[in-house]
Amino acid sequence: MEPANDDDDHRANGSDYNHFSKKPKLSTSSSSFITDSEIREEFSHHQPGIARINNGSFGSCPASIIAAQKRWQLRFLQQPDDFFLNHLQKRILHSRTIIKDVINAEHVEEVSLVDNATTAAAIVLQHVGWAFAEGRFKKGDAVVMLHCAFQAVKKSIEAYVTRAGGSVIVVHLPFPLRSEEEIVAEFRKALAKGKANGKKVRLAIIDHITSMPCVVIPVRDLVKICREEGVERVFVDAAHAIGNVHVDVKEIGADFYVSNLHKWFFCPPSVAFLYCRKSPVSPDLHHPVVSHEYGNGLAIESAWIGTRDYSSQLVIPEVLEFINRFESGIKGIRLRNHKAVIEMGQMLANAWGTALGCPPDMSPSMAMVGLPANLRILCDKDALNLRNRLRDHFGVEVPIHYEEIKELQDGDAVVTGYARISHQVYNKVDDYIKLKDAILQLVRDGVTCKMLHPE
């Protein structure tokens, strides 16, 4: 388990790549750290021949954790009544306690385990929607969100907030990015717009790491601005964060914070934690699936939403054991992944004659790498077709992002496509060389995305 505190104040914004913790909570001796061959064995279930450089979408669960999950599943199926009545809730509480310590929450009651960040968004936005519908928030008061918010979050706003009378202010972030100050400036503009004509900003939704394009957001700074500007509640959508950047919910200071545990924390799908800072509104938070625990607090409601497979929530202790087989635990994994993804990103950019989409200290264990302009990625469909071609013909799995260019300069080759590469402990240099060579071959063959459209 990583320590909650950190020496550098900037680390709560996500950029903790320059040093290890002075006091890693690691019991593993150096002689028993996991070896390269053991890492290969843990991920030997991966399909052979595929360069998996997209850990950011679905994560990857080690074989030992898959085995632990099967043991929990069998334990339930062998005697469901005994397990449900005498063991399940105690085991979930144990998992919540581990996460509480990892993220430095004040109380275990502040930590709920849910299926994923989408479920957490529904919980928070349902709560906000009720406030509009019941008249506690005025019609037209605003929710502020980043334009690159995850699509499920946008749909939850539509389902719960706008239909109840709330308005939405979108923060348009520039990309490529040069500095955090660009993000802060655009965020301040959006808050000012939300407060115009006597209106109030009732909720700000801030990504800790945007998904596409991938950028580490200065989340603590934005939360502080929200407090200064009178924003009522702040929800940090940190789907990619835990296991990827330093997470200290006290330092960040948001009211709600969610992160998936199956992306970068090695859990099987699907499990996430939702942190809700203890406050007078806490009793009014409810799971959208109403079961017989309704009214007993969000954490208890979330721990039983009917008969289902809870094993992904129960393996968190085993996941922590796996993580602590690595030198310096999760922090060591993060630092190595970040260093490797930047090295691989720069290698690709040099080979393709492009650049990274943002500075290295604004990249987590993922990086945006510009693709050659010759490919002519001119729309989202082009990006998807290129991704499919890389998978089907070259055995490379990597997301492709299309970035519309507002102003074109005559005579310049304009980069409008980016590959979002990930690095996790199972990745090898050969994975990125395979991507590099595939793109170079397409360019040599004169292939453009227009030629990739299916018949």
Side-chain angles (χ1 to χ4, degrees):
M1 188 184 306
E2 68 174 313
N5 61 341
D6 201 296
D7 299 326
D8 191 331
D9 287 342
H10 195 54
R11 298 292 81 85
N13 276 335
S15 305
D16 67 334
Y17 305 116
N18 297 321
H19 66 281
F20 288 97
S21 168
K22 293 181 178 179
K23 299 185 292 182
K25 297 180 181 178
L26 185 69
S27 59
T28 310
S29 65
S30 59
S31 62
S32 58
F33 288 141
I34 194 168
T35 64
D36 289 344
S37 62
E38 288 172 330
I39 293 174
R40 288 194 296 272
E41 184 64 26
E42 285 281 8
F43 297 97
S44 60
H45 53 282
H46 287 184
Q47 183 178 339
I50 303 296
R52 288 179 53 148
I53 46 182
N54 183 29
N55 191 85
S57 285
F58 300 106
S60 184
C61 186
S64 60
I65 305 305
I66 295 172
Q69 182 182 33
K70 289 180 179 177
R71 290 194 296 271
W72 283 114
Q73 289 169 334
L74 283 174
R75 187 168 175 186
F76 170 72
L77 293 171
Q78 286 165 350
Q79 220 313 19
D81 299 82
D82 174 65
F83 190 72
F84 167 65
L85 293 169
N86 298 318
H87 303 286
L88 177 61
Q89 294 308 316
K90 288 187 289 187
R91 295 294 182 176
I92 291 178
L93 176 60
H94 182 40
S95 292
R96 289 170 49 215
T97 301
I98 289 173
I99 297 302
K100 172 249 181 192
D101 292 337
V102 170
I103 66 174
N104 194 30
E106 187 71 30
H107 308 284
V108 71
E109 291 79 10
E110 296 174 320
V111 178
S112 303
L113 294 181
V114 296
D115 282 353
N116 44 46
T118 301
T119 304
I123 291 168
V124 173
L125 290 165
Q126 173 185 257
H127 165 72
V128 173
W130 285 337
F132 277 106
E134 295 167 359
R136 286 176 281 128
F137 294 169
K138 292 182 179 179
K139 305 290 185 181
D141 283 352
V143 170
V144 169
M145 71 171 186
L146 307 188
H147 85 278
C148 47
F150 197 61
Q151 189 66 18
V153 173
K154 295 178 180 178
K155 292 295 185 180
S156 289
I157 292 173
E158 178 184 333
Y160 294 113
V161 177
T162 56
R163 70 179 295 174
S167 63
V168 180
I169 306 295
V170 178
V171 184
H172 290 278
L173 300 183
F175 188 82
L177 273 164
R178 295 181 296 274
S179 70
E180 293 179 345
E181 285 70 26
E182 293 176 277
I183 299 173
V184 171
E186 293 302 318
F187 191 76
R188 286 189 181 277
K189 290 179 188 176
L191 291 185
K193 184 176 180 182
K195 294 169 63 178
N197 301 317
K199 300 294 186 181
K200 293 185 177 180
V201 177
R202 297 296 188 171
L203 178 72
I205 304 174
I206 304 169
D207 299 73
H208 198 156
I209 302 171
T210 58
S211 178
M212 193 70 92
C214 172
V215 176
V216 178
I217 301 296
V219 62
R220 191 183 62 182
D221 294 344
L222 299 192
V223 172
K224 183 179 179 182
I225 291 169
C226 287
R227 301 306 183 199
E228 294 169 351
E229 296 295 327
V231 176
E232 189 144 344
R233 290 159 203 175
V234 182
F235 172 35
V236 175
D237 179 2
H240 287 273
I242 190 168
N244 204 344
V245 294
H246 178 61
V247 176
D248 185 324
V249 294
K250 288 183 186 174
E251 288 186 3
I252 292 167
D255 299 284
F256 314 110
Y257 187 102
V258 61
S259 189
N260 288 317
L261 296 168
H262 55 262
K263 283 185 182 287
W264 294 94
F265 203 71
F266 300 106
C267 285
S270 56
V271 58
F273 76 84
L274 173 60
Y275 162 82
C276 301
R277 187 171 63 173
K278 201 169 184 179
S279 75
V281 306
S282 298
D284 197 34
L285 292 162
H286 297 284
H287 198 284
V289 177
V290 177
S291 190
H292 65 254
E293 294 289 4
Y294 181 85
N296 290 327
L298 179 61
I300 301 303
E301 289 183 21
S302 301
W304 183 258
I305 55 171
T307 302
R308 65 185 292 278
D309 183 1
Y310 291 90
S311 60
S312 57
Q313 300 183 10
L314 302 178
V315 297
I316 290 172
E318 289 90 344
V319 169
L320 190 62
E321 291 177 8
F322 172 79
I323 287 170
N324 283 343
R325 293 170 66 190
F326 291 80
E327 184 176 2
S328 296
I330 196 63
K331 189 159 196 173
I333 292 171
R334 286 203 317 267
L335 291 167
R336 281 186 288 274
N337 281 339
H338 172 73
K339 180 181 178 182
V341 85
I342 295 302
E343 288 178 354
M344 293 300 96
Q346 290 172 336
M347 179 272 291
L348 293 170
N350 290 338
W352 298 337
T354 60
L356 299 184
C358 66
D361 63 357
M362 295 179 69
S363 298
S365 300
M366 300 183 284
M368 303 298 295
V369 188
L371 289 161
N374 308 42
L375 294 172
R376 293 191 60 77
I377 302 169
L378 303 178
C379 61
D380 291 330
K381 185 65 174 177
D382 287 345
L384 179 60
N385 288 335
L386 177 58
R387 178 178 183 173
N388 291 339
R389 175 59 64 95
L390 290 171
R391 178 193 305 115
D392 297 340
H393 291 259
F394 297 97
V396 176
E397 188 61 66
V398 64
I400 305 298
H401 171 66
Y402 163 66
E403 182 67 30
E404 182 182 1
I405 301 298
K406 304 297 189 297
E407 297 181 9
L408 297 179
Q409 296 180 358
D410 294 338
D412 287 347
V414 178
V415 172
T416 56
Y418 291 80
R420 189 194 76 183
I421 63 171
S422 296
H423 191 281
Q424 187 49 284
V425 296
Y426 54 80
N427 283 121
K428 308 178 296 297
V429 173
D430 287 349
D431 297 331
Y432 306 91
I433 292 176
K434 196 170 185 178
L435 171 61
K436 179 199 73 173
D437 292 345
I439 294 297
L440 290 178
Q441 181 177 326
L442 291 172
V443 172
R444 282 196 304 269
D445 293 345
V447 174
T448 67
C449 285
K450 184 177 181 181
M451 300 163 62
L452 301 179
H453 282 224
E455 297 298 331

